[in-house]
Amino acid sequence: MGKVVGIRFKPQGKTYDFDPGVYVLAKGDKVVVETEQGLGFGTVATTARQVSEEMLKLPLKKIHRIATQEDLDQYESVLLLEKDAFDYCEKAIGELKLEMNLFSVDASFDSSKLTFFFTADGRVDFRELVKTLVRHFRVRIELRQIGVRHQAKMCGGLGRCGRETCCTSFMSGFVPVSVKMAKVQNLSLNPTKISGLCGRLMCCLTFEHEIYKELKDGFPKLGKRVNTPSGKGKVIRHNLLKGLVSVRLEEGAEIELPADHCAPPDEPAPKIAAPAPEENDQRPSMAEDAQADQRPDRPEKKRRPRRKKKPRQTKGNQDQDQSKEDKPKQKQGNPNQKQGKGKPRRPRNKKRNRQNPDKKNTANADQPAPKNNTGGDS
């Protein structure tokens, strides 16, 4: 077992393990440590903890001393040197017309080395720039080209979720991210929605990838034909968190059911078991429903016969009823018609000749007309 303490040199930098020695340190203390490039000024990120020898990376560098006021003043002068070096390097890049983007400068604690970090689309010939910087600062110069993900880590910022970027806050390294991870999680493949500040895929896609991968093992693939209790259909959508599958049936309807209720098309659909009633459930169970169905039906109530509506008596009807009682019975006819003024019933006409409707009697049409004896010879 060994005791280690975590030291961070930059607010968003990586945490390194050091041997605390005899010092008792708290989180946030300023210390001077031994590094491969000399003394360095850092901040305690994690307090002392016990680590097994297997996990311990030997040999560990030791903490030289706790920072004093002189060390703090020297660190302030180092920050001013970094700012001057950044401004001068940007001016030199503009004069040399180099296609590179300078974004950070790091100086050692003893001001014996300056490291310039930049990004570029391709390789850049910066030999003339190095000569210019050496003549001006008279120290060791190093130019380092890094990717845009490292630039976002060093610069920091707010992500799409509204919190500080993961690479700046707690991530110590980068892992490869692919579009397949977004597909497994059913996310939109719009580049503006799954990309971070650096323009690359968000690192948080890797956090839940393994869980989604395990959940998807028991699901039928998209586009595969399955057999369900409602009929055969095609899988069109997955809901991994709820464990549901959307299936479009052959009739055209869409249903959503659990993944274990789907079977291959050549196998019968699984039978759905009825859920067991809970103890505190007050709803009637299936057995009680069956008993209720076997109960004898209640006799239907007899309906009362409807009363016949009496004709509404008016003044004219009352006079007519009185006249009927006084007068003898007559032949049935229209009671509202007066005698002598009603039209006689029209006798039924004989069938006319449809071929010649103008001729009423075809038998008399062939006989000659009688002569008119108005004054002829006798």
Side-chain angles (χ1 to χ4, degrees):
M1 298 291 288
K3 185 183 290 187
V4 296
V5 63
I7 303 298
R8 184 177 293 171
F9 297 98
K10 293 290 182 181
Q12 67 280 0
K14 184 179 178 180
T15 302
Y16 299 90
D17 292 335
F18 285 86
D19 184 5
V22 296
Y23 297 103
V24 178
L25 303 173
K27 188 175 181 180
D29 291 345
K30 307 296 182 182
V31 293
V32 178
V33 298
E34 297 177 359
T35 63
E36 296 178 355
Q37 301 176 359
L39 296 179
F41 185 86
T43 306
V44 178
T46 59
T47 57
R49 65 188 187 279
Q50 296 290 338
V51 181
S52 61
E53 295 180 358
E54 298 177 354
M55 299 179 61
L56 195 61
K57 296 180 181 179
L58 298 176
L60 290 177
K61 299 291 183 180
K62 293 184 178 182
I63 293 179
H64 187 67
R65 65 177 180 270
I66 297 177
T68 61
Q69 187 61 37
E70 294 179 359
D71 296 331
L72 295 175
D73 296 340
Q74 185 177 352
Y75 183 69
E76 292 294 334
S77 63
V78 170
L79 295 179
L80 293 176
L81 177 62
E82 290 177 355
K83 184 178 180 181
D84 295 339
F86 185 88
D87 296 338
Y88 183 81
C89 185
E90 271 196 335
K91 183 179 178 182
I93 291 173
E95 292 176 356
L96 297 174
K97 297 181 180 179
L98 298 176
E99 295 181 357
M100 55 190 298
N101 179 25
L102 179 70
F103 68 89
S104 179
V105 180
D106 186 13
S108 61
F109 184 65
D110 55 0
S111 303
S112 61
K113 180 182 177 181
L114 289 174
T115 305
F116 296 85
F117 298 94
F118 70 94
T119 58
D121 295 336
R123 299 187 63 180
V124 180
D125 186 6
F126 48 78
R127 288 175 293 182
E128 291 296 330
L129 177 63
V130 173
K131 294 177 182 180
T132 304
L133 296 175
V134 170
R135 284 195 300 266
H136 185 271
F137 293 103
R138 300 292 180 177
V139 294
R140 185 180 174 186
I141 301 297
E142 181 182 356
L143 271 75
R144 187 177 298 177
Q145 182 177 357
I146 61 176
V148 290
R149 298 179 75 183
H150 290 82
Q151 179 184 4
K153 177 181 177 64
M154 298 178 69
C155 295
L158 297 179
R160 186 175 298 277
C161 58
R163 302 181 62 182
E164 189 179 7
T165 53
C166 301
C167 56
T168 304
S169 57
F170 64 89
M171 286 182 63
S172 58
F174 293 101
V175 294
V177 187
S178 63
V179 182
K180 185 178 179 180
M181 297 180 180
K183 292 182 179 179
V184 172
Q185 301 177 33
N186 292 332
L187 298 177
S188 173
L189 299 182
N190 188 353
T192 59
K193 294 184 178 181
I194 59 176
S195 299
L197 297 178
C198 57
R200 303 291 189 268
L201 294 174
M202 293 188 295
C203 299
C204 57
L205 295 177
T206 62
F207 298 165
E208 300 177 357
H209 176 63
E210 294 299 329
I211 297 175
Y212 276 91
K213 200 173 179 180
E214 293 177 2
L215 293 175
K216 200 171 184 179
D217 290 341
F219 279 67
K221 295 182 180 180
L222 292 175
K224 186 178 180 181
R225 301 194 66 82
V226 294
N227 193 6
T228 65
S230 301
K232 295 183 178 181
K234 182 179 179 182
V235 180
I236 59 174
R237 202 178 304 109
H238 287 166
N239 192 337
L240 299 179
L241 298 180
K242 292 184 177 180
L244 300 177
V245 178
S246 297
V247 180
R248 180 181 288 119
L249 301 177
E250 295 179 350
E251 295 80 6
E254 292 186 9
I255 59 173
E256 194 174 33
L257 69 164
D260 54 357
H261 291 177
C262 298
D266 53 348
E267 297 181 6
K271 296 181 180 180
I272 302 175
E278 298 181 0
E279 296 179 358
N280 298 330
D281 195 357
Q282 298 180 358
R283 294 176 297 178
S285 61
M286 297 179 65
E288 293 177 358
D289 293 341
Q291 293 178 2
D293 296 339
Q294 295 177 2
R295 293 174 185 172
D297 298 335
R298 295 181 180 178
E300 297 183 357
K301 295 182 179 180
K302 295 182 180 181
R303 296 182 180 180
R304 296 179 180 179
R306 294 183 180 181
R307 296 179 181 179
K308 295 182 179 180
K309 293 183 179 180
K310 295 181 180 181
R312 189 175 180 181
Q313 294 183 359
T314 59
K315 193 172 182 179
N317 293 337
Q318 292 177 359
D319 299 340
Q320 186 176 355
D321 295 339
Q322 293 177 0
S323 62
K324 284 182 178 181
E325 294 177 358
D326 299 340
K327 295 180 181 180
K329 293 184 179 180
Q330 296 180 0
K331 293 183 180 180
Q332 294 181 357
N334 192 352
N336 295 329
Q337 291 182 359
K338 295 182 180 180
Q339 295 181 359
K341 292 187 178 181
K343 294 184 180 180
R345 187 175 180 180
R346 185 176 181 181
R348 184 179 295 177
N349 295 333
K350 296 181 180 180
K351 294 182 179 180
R352 297 182 180 180
N353 187 0
R354 294 181 180 179
Q355 296 180 357
N356 191 1
D358 295 338
K359 296 181 180 180
K360 296 182 179 179
N361 192 355
T362 55
N364 298 330
D366 297 337
Q367 297 179 4
K371 293 181 180 180
N372 190 7
N373 298 324
T374 56
D377 297 335
S378 57

